[in-house]
Amino acid sequence: MDQHPQDPSDRVSRRPRRSAARLPLLALAAVFAVAASTLGTGVYLNRESPTWQRILGTEPVVEAAPDPAAELPVLLAALDAMSSSPTTSGASKLAAALQGTRTMLAEHVELLTPGLPAASTASGASASGTGSEPSAADSSAAPPLTAAEFSRLLAQTGNALLTQSLGADGQEARRLSGSGLELLVQARTVLASSGATQAALDALPVPGGTAEPEAAAAAATPTDSESTTDSDSSTDSAPAIGGATTDAAVRAKMPAFAVSSCPSSAPTGTEAPDSGRLLGQVADAAYRMGYAYDVAGARTSAGLRTAAWNRSALLVDFAQAVEKQFGAELNCEPLRQPAYQLPADAIQNPMDAARSGEAQLALLLRDAAATQAGDSRAYLLKAAWAQALHARQVTGVAPDFTQVEGAAAAAESALPSDG
């Protein structure tokens, strides 16, 4: 009887075969474990490197800073919505301030963002009911901004433009800083016209990011809304606002300026602005006004005499501090003249004649700042800000910072001339 062949598998144990099959898997797992630990250690040790941050997805996202000029059309749209609000239109003082703000914003839109004036004009037409299509702001369900909210946005945009100007060059720095300064001043005008308290005005953003506004003048001027054009205005005896041309403590911190040449009275022509010439014009303007205020003090009543002479002393001290920047190194001729020819109305209105140059000094400070860098530019821009506030305070009119050319020529017509 034939026997069945024995199954070969019965003669071979399966246990060794399974162990042999696991060896490659174990070896592969060990390789992966070593690789993972090495990779993990490398990632940990190099996790801060840009390459590993990209691999791990932890690289910080660098976003381009928003352009504050792009906020100007948005502010115009918000202003149109406010102007059409019954609450705003019923307040004549605030309505007038908003209308002036709209004109100012339209100028700065054209100055900083060419090509957008048409859009802003269309927005204004829509707000007045003449447009065929309502704008996005008009169709929004959001209620119109209050005067306080709008003023804060206006001041924030102005501050952002001023900050942007610190890194700009030449004419662009003048445009940006001029727009920023004018928006900052106008924000206070709008808020004051709504009847806000001095504390609310002081809370608005200012250059440098800290509240350093007209608190010093609060006792003499309860609000900015009070008229300051009368010769017996209480602002004449108000304390200084806090700037290089209004505060001795600020002037004492004047940094060293970059001065390329001695001041020159030669026409500018088409040549690039020169730091020496522009700083010289600042000092010369301060000297001229100092003389005008000194004469006004002798020709006015006792109530204004002290204010005029105090202002004269501040301006002359500021001019001397700037003139020292030219130093013996350049051996420049003295800027100060023994006398100046006063404007024609100086006899009848001596204080008004002296004040006529305050706004132009703010423009000259803005122009001189564009020739500087770093702390020197920041110092002159803060001086221009304080000077702009002072000019509005004593004349009732804020400087027109849309002037980016010919400021010096305009200053010559406003200030006393050589006698």
Side-chain angles (χ1 to χ4, degrees):
M1 184 170 121
D2 295 335
Q3 296 182 349
H4 296 288
Q6 188 176 3
D7 188 353
S9 63
D10 294 339
R11 293 178 294 179
V12 179
S13 174
R14 295 182 180 179
R15 298 186 66 179
R17 182 174 293 179
R18 289 180 180 176
S19 298
R22 288 178 179 176
L23 287 175
L25 294 175
L26 291 174
L28 184 61
V31 170
F32 276 115
V34 173
S37 64
T38 303
L39 178 63
T41 303
V43 169
Y44 180 79
L45 294 177
N46 298 280
R47 63 190 183 282
E48 300 299 332
S49 67
T51 301
W52 279 113
Q53 285 184 344
R54 285 193 294 269
I55 294 173
L56 299 174
T58 59
E59 183 181 17
V61 178
V62 179
E63 297 181 357
D67 183 4
E71 294 297 318
L72 297 179
V74 178
L75 289 171
L76 273 173
L79 187 57
D80 291 336
M82 290 177 63
S83 299
S84 61
S85 170
T87 304
T88 302
S89 58
S92 58
K93 203 167 192 177
L94 178 57
L98 293 179
Q99 181 57 42
T101 304
R102 192 183 198 291
T103 302
M104 180 209 70
L105 282 175
E107 291 177 345
H108 289 294
V109 167
E110 184 174 3
L111 184 68
L112 298 179
T113 56
L116 288 179
S120 63
T121 302
S123 174
S126 175
S128 61
T130 59
S132 58
E133 291 289 337
S135 66
D138 295 332
S139 60
S140 172
L145 297 176
T146 64
E149 293 169 338
F150 178 75
S151 297
R152 178 157 291 275
L153 289 176
L154 198 63
Q156 288 173 344
T157 303
N159 228 0
L161 287 168
L162 205 61
T163 300
Q164 188 180 31
S165 74
L166 294 176
D169 294 327
Q171 192 79 340
E172 183 65 13
R174 296 171 71 189
R175 278 193 291 264
L176 290 169
S177 60
S179 293
L181 290 167
E182 193 158 320
L183 262 64
L184 283 164
V185 174
Q186 190 66 17
R188 304 179 77 84
T189 300
V190 171
L191 189 57
S193 67
S194 69
T197 64
Q198 186 67 41
L201 293 170
D202 293 348
L204 287 174
V206 297
T210 57
E212 170 203 297
E214 300 158 38
T221 52
T223 67
D224 285 9
S225 58
E226 293 181 1
S227 172
T228 60
T229 56
D230 296 333
S231 60
D232 59 348
S233 170
S234 61
T235 58
D236 293 315
S237 57
I241 293 172
T245 62
T246 57
D247 192 316
V250 177
R251 186 188 65 247
K253 299 177 182 178
M254 181 182 292
F257 299 137
V259 181
S260 58
S261 64
C262 287
S264 171
S265 59
T268 304
T270 58
E271 64 189 60
D274 175 81
S275 59
R277 181 178 58 80
L278 289 176
L279 285 170
Q281 288 175 351
V282 166
D284 182 57
Y287 274 137
R288 291 169 186 264
M289 275 200 298
Y291 177 83
Y293 274 111
D294 186 55
V295 173
R299 295 179 177 177
T300 57
S301 62
L304 295 177
R305 184 170 300 142
T306 300
W309 284 343
N310 286 345
R311 183 64 179 151
S312 174
L314 278 169
L315 288 167
V316 170
D317 288 347
F318 171 72
Q320 289 175 340
V322 173
E323 191 175 13
K324 285 181 181 178
Q325 298 275 348
F326 301 96
E329 177 184 348
L330 296 176
N331 195 27
C332 302
E333 294 292 330
L335 288 169
R336 190 178 187 180
Q337 301 296 321
Y340 299 94
Q341 182 177 348
L342 297 171
D345 63 341
I347 296 178
Q348 293 80 11
N349 304 295
M351 287 297 288
D352 289 343
R355 292 166 174 164
S356 63
E358 297 281 10
Q360 288 300 332
L361 180 56
L363 297 183
L364 291 171
L365 285 164
R366 184 274 316 264
D367 291 349
T371 67
Q372 303 297 308
D375 292 341
S376 298
R377 178 178 290 188
Y379 177 89
L380 288 172
L381 286 178
K382 291 192 74 173
W385 152 249
Q387 179 62 28
L389 284 183
H390 183 81
R392 188 199 59 171
Q393 196 176 43
V394 299
T395 67
V397 180
D400 180 10
F401 282 105
T402 57
Q403 299 180 39
V404 293
E405 293 180 358
E412 289 294 327
S413 63
L415 294 169
S417 58
D418 294 338

